[in-house]
Each structure stands twice: as C-alpha cells, then as structure tokens.
Amino acid sequence: MDYFEYKNGVLYCEDLKVSAIAEKVGTPFYLYSHNTLKRHYRVLDEAFEEIPHLVCFSVKANSNVAILRALANEGAGADVVSGGELFRALRAGIDPSKIVFAGLGKTASEIEYALREKILMINVESSEELMLINELASKMDVVAPIAIRVNPDIDPQTHPRIATGLKESKFGIPLSQAMAEYEVASKLPGVNPIGIHQHIGSQILKPGPFEESLRKIVNLANSLKVLGVDIRYINIGGGFGIQYTEEEALGPDRFAEAIIPVVKECNCTIILEIGRMICGNSGILVTRVLYNKSSGNKKFVVVDAGMNDLLRPSLYGAEHRIEPVIIRRGVPDLEVDVVGPICESGDFLARNRKLPRVERGDLLAVFTAGAYGFTMASNYNSRPRPAEVFVSGNKAYLIRKRETYEDLVRGEAVPRDLEST
Ligand SMILES: *Cc1c(COP(=O)(O)O)cnc(C)c1O
C-alpha cells in the first residue's frame, strides 16, 4: 500500500499533484511519500512486536538524511556498510546504540570511527578483520561489541547478483568455521562477541530460506553457550521482497509468522536490517518524454532519466512499473522500449513494455524507485544527479538539490604545468 494514487487520471503523491511538483523542480527527480515510508516502517515493526527486536534501516537502500531522519523519528536504527553511511546516519540523528556496521572491506579508519562513536556492534566478515578490530580497540582502550557474519549456504531464490548467502559468495564466514572463530574471538581482549549476523540476499519473496538458515543460526547460538559465549543478538539481515510488477509480495506479517517461532528458541534480541521493504514503494522517479522514435518495428520512448539516475534495470534487468503521470484518454497501447539519453545500449528503464502512446513533454512515473534508486545514481556522461523531493501531506520539501555543472567539476584541478602552456 502506498500514497501514490490516481484521481481522475492524474497522479498524486499524498495530497499533491506530481505534475505540479515537476513544474517547480524540473525533471528527472525522485519523489518520496512520508506517509508511505512511515506506514511501511510501522507495519514491519509491528509484525515482530511479539519478540524483542530492533529494526536497523539499511542505509544503502536510501541514504538521504531527510529519509533517515524520518525513520529515526519512528525509532529506527541503521545498518551501515561504510564510514560515509555511518556519517549520514549520525548526521540524521540516529542513536549510535542502534547502529550496526557490516561490509567485508572495512578500513582501519572506518573501524576506529565506529569505535569512537560507540555503535551497537560491528559485523565481522573475516578472521583478519577480527584481528584488526581487536588490535584497534585495544589501542583505544575499548572493547568492541561484535557479531560474526555467518554464511549459512542458503539459496535465497533471488537474482544471482543479489544472492549473498551461498557457499561461493564473498560474504561472511562459512558456518562450519564459525564455532572456531567465536572461540578465537572470546579470547581476544579487544572484542566482545554478542551477536550472530547473517544476510542471505535481497528481494527474497518467500520466507522459507529465512526459516532454513535461521534454524542453523539458532543452533549455533545454542552451541556457543556451551563455549561460554553469550549471544544476545541474532541479526537476521535484510532482504524481504516487495512487488515491482507482477510478483506476489507477502508483506512483513508472513515473514514474521515463519521467522518468530524459529528465533524464539533462543532468548535473543532480533535485529532486522531491512532496506527495500521500508523505502522501495515510498519513492518514484519522475521523468519527461524527450522524443518518440522507431527503428524497423521497434519503438523507443526517449526520456530524460537514464541508467545514471536509475541503474536497476540495466544492472539486474529489474522491472519497474511505468505509467504516465497524466493519463490521456482513448490513446492506444504501444509496445516500446523506454530508454535514457546515456551513450550505452544497456541504458534503458524498460524493454518491450506496453505503454499508452505518449508525446514529447509528457511526464512518466517510474514506480517503486525509493530503494537502490538515488543511492546508485552516478554522474556518468557528466549528467548532474537528479533532485529529491519529500512530500508529507500537502507539503513538499526539496531534500536534495539537483546538481549543477559546477558540482560536476568540484574538486577537480588542472596541474599548473598544463596551464602555463
Ligand atoms: C543490502 C543489505 C541489507 C538490506 O537488504 P534489503 O534487501 O534492502 O532489505 C541488509 N544487510 C546487509 C548486510 C546488506 O548488505
């Protein structure tokens, strides 16, 4: 459920016409609905009400500080994967005691930053990282709370590029080595193993893979008690799938129903690192039609947003629903490719898609663009990154200005020697 709705053929975001916002800020731009975001957060949080839990919003899904602040106001923590994301989460006012830090390539300075800020825990991805955290924490005279990211060797039945819990994946430590790793950790003075972490993939549509992997994780937690390691947190990762086009999305209740009985068996706090399910449907990308063209039987709608603005279709072959912002009556549907202006043939927003015939200047809405949308945007082809707008009821706020040409060259410098010739 979301608050992007058509009234008499005109698309609204909450109480405001999307077309009116487009006239003000220009295109392309991302548009977020505050009430949709809040609703998704709350429904997820309530689904796990029965057990002690903490929702750590996965910052890589949408890292705008306004979005993070809106979620902090709902009580959310954060799951960060870099020093930059930690900076954003803190800047947005997220309580450090609700922040977890994952990622397999943390640098020494990122680890020190996390230790200085006293975050809830660091998710460790390798033996060498564990040693480095121990060394840095000891030097700073602190004890680092940690979880070890375990690879449960589970097929999450999702796109291979977003599956992260298979044996051959680069993430985590194989389950078979986990006991030994925790035993090492329990003897290091600079770390305190308090959690187990897993993240098996993204856009997972069925709870089965979670049940299967969490059974293994709960067994591990219980075996660790025997070793004297007191596991207080099980971080089940993220990955709850959502509806983009035709797929059936179950909603958080059904995931909770399957997960709660499994994790209840150990008296732990459950951490949920959810990104997509919280913010995916809370955002759309609004773009304008530049041209219609055809090549043989193939018809193209050229729009002013490209793979540099929304990478998912090009990167994963992801499908996003696309509709006109203002529906024209009585126009035929055509099968088209919706393509961007980038000089790459892989630059498209949709392929072989039925769309009502559009004309130059029409606005299109690309739905479910609130997660992994702006955060994956780039300046490729020297295109300024788009604006971001946040709507709450009948108010709209610019939460990120469109970049300018000056922004594109900020930080660049021509060597003196080149200037003098
Ligand atoms: C990306 C990621 C998440 C969030 O995944 P979603 O599919 O957006 O819920 C959670 N945890 C880790 C470690 C991640 O890398």
Side-chain angles (χ1 to χ4, degrees):
M1 211 225 107
D2 61 58
Y3 296 89
F4 294 97
E5 274 176 342
Y6 283 93
K7 291 176 202 161
N8 295 322
V10 174
L11 182 63
Y12 279 73
C13 175
E14 303 198 11
D15 301 336
L16 298 177
K17 276 186 186 158
V18 172
S19 55
I21 299 168
E23 293 316 318
K24 273 223 168 102
V25 300
T27 52
F29 68 99
Y30 279 93
L31 179 59
Y32 307 113
S33 152
H34 187 197
N35 283 300
T36 310
L37 188 70
K38 278 201 288 200
R39 184 176 183 281
H40 287 322
Y41 179 84
R42 287 178 188 173
V43 170
L44 174 69
D45 195 36
E46 282 161 18
F48 286 85
E49 210 165 42
E50 196 185 323
I51 52 171
H53 70 280
L54 173 64
V55 178
C56 290
F57 174 66
S58 187
V59 172
K60 76 177 193 289
N62 191 318
S63 59
N64 188 292
V65 288
I67 299 288
L68 299 181
R69 181 53 192 249
L71 290 169
N73 289 349
E74 297 298 309
D79 155 47
V80 302
V81 294
S82 69
E85 286 191 355
L86 176 55
F87 175 81
R88 284 179 173 279
L90 294 168
R91 176 62 66 90
I94 293 179
D95 185 345
S97 72
K98 293 182 179 174
I99 298 178
V100 293
F101 189 0
L104 83 168
K106 302 179 200 78
T107 64
S109 69
E110 286 177 319
I111 293 166
E112 284 164 348
Y113 182 22
L115 293 175
R116 266 198 317 276
E117 297 295 342
K118 301 189 167 43
I119 67 168
L120 178 57
M121 76 186 84
I122 299 177
N123 298 330
V124 181
E125 301 245 6
S126 66
S127 318
E128 290 194 0
E129 186 194 343
L130 180 65
M131 293 305 162
L132 180 61
I133 294 172
N134 175 57
E135 191 186 309
L136 296 170
S138 302
K139 237 185 257 166
M140 291 168 71
D141 212 13
V142 295
V143 177
I146 60 141
I148 292 177
R149 177 168 180 176
V150 171
N151 182 342
D153 189 18
I154 288 289
D155 182 359
Q157 292 150 24
T158 183
H159 191 284
R161 292 259 182 95
I162 48 178
T164 52
L166 285 159
K167 224 184 355 245
E168 59 271 30
S169 150
K170 69 175 179 177
F171 298 102
I173 287 170
L175 196 60
S176 56
Q177 291 167 33
M179 282 288 275
E181 209 59 47
Y182 274 99
E183 197 167 5
V184 171
S186 68
K187 293 184 179 130
L188 297 173
V191 300
N192 182 19
I194 59 167
I196 305 176
H197 177 222
Q198 69 154 21
H199 173 67
I200 57 176
S202 199
Q203 184 59 7
I204 299 168
L205 290 164
K206 299 252 156 65
F210 282 94
E211 269 181 271
E212 200 185 329
S213 68
L214 286 169
R215 254 186 229 116
K216 299 185 187 185
I217 302 281
V218 168
N219 277 341
L220 173 64
N222 289 334
S223 315
L224 285 171
K225 286 212 175 85
V226 183
L227 268 186
V229 178
D230 183 20
I231 295 299
R232 283 175 281 143
Y233 295 90
I234 289 184
N235 184 335
I236 73 166
F240 294 178
I242 62 173
Q243 184 175 16
Y244 281 91
T245 52
E246 312 280 276
E247 59 274 74
E248 197 196 337
L250 293 179
D253 282 352
R254 297 283 299 281
F255 282 96
E257 230 170 70
I259 289 170
I260 289 173
V262 182
V263 293
K264 244 185 168 171
E265 287 184 27
C266 69
N267 284 322
C268 291
T269 297
I270 299 308
I271 297 175
L272 299 123
E273 298 174 329
I274 305 293
R276 195 187 305 274
M277 188 180 265
I278 294 174
C279 63
N281 285 317
S282 310
I284 64 173
L285 173 66
V286 182
T287 181
R288 201 178 280 282
V289 175
L290 295 174
Y291 306 105
N292 279 295
K293 66 180 278 184
S294 49
S295 172
N297 289 332
K298 192 111 199 139
K299 294 185 177 59
F300 296 97
V301 174
V302 184
V303 297
D304 67 0
M307 65 190 284
N308 74 296
D309 302 297
L310 180 65
L311 184 60
R312 300 188 69 257
S314 302
L315 184 63
Y316 310 126
E319 297 202 349
H320 287 259
R321 186 163 68 90
I322 300 180
E323 313 272 356
V325 166
I326 297 170
I327 293 170
R328 292 176 189 279
R329 288 181 208 284
V331 297
D333 275 353
L334 301 175
E335 190 173 297
V336 299
D337 280 13
V338 181
V339 299
I342 297 281
C343 299
E344 294 279 348
S345 38
D347 173 32
F348 60 90
L349 297 180
R351 277 186 165 157
N352 306 321
R353 187 70 68 83
K354 278 231 159 58
L355 200 68
R357 195 181 66 215
V358 293
E359 290 175 20
R360 289 193 57 191
D362 284 0
L363 293 168
L364 295 178
V366 183
F367 288 88
T368 323
Y372 307 101
F374 188 92
T375 52
M376 284 189 176
S378 78
N379 291 120
Y380 188 40
N381 280 206
S382 284
R383 287 167 48 81
R385 284 181 297 171
E388 293 179 283
V389 177
F390 182 84
V391 166
S392 193
N394 59 7
K395 294 204 189 85
Y397 305 89
L398 185 64
I399 58 170
R400 195 180 212 278
K401 283 188 198 155
R402 182 179 309 286
E403 286 179 334
T404 63
Y405 291 155
E406 282 300 325
D407 291 330
L408 292 179
V409 294
R410 178 153 303 129
E412 294 180 24
V414 177
R416 270 252 172 90
D417 288 354
L418 295 182
E419 276 184 335
S420 56
T421 58

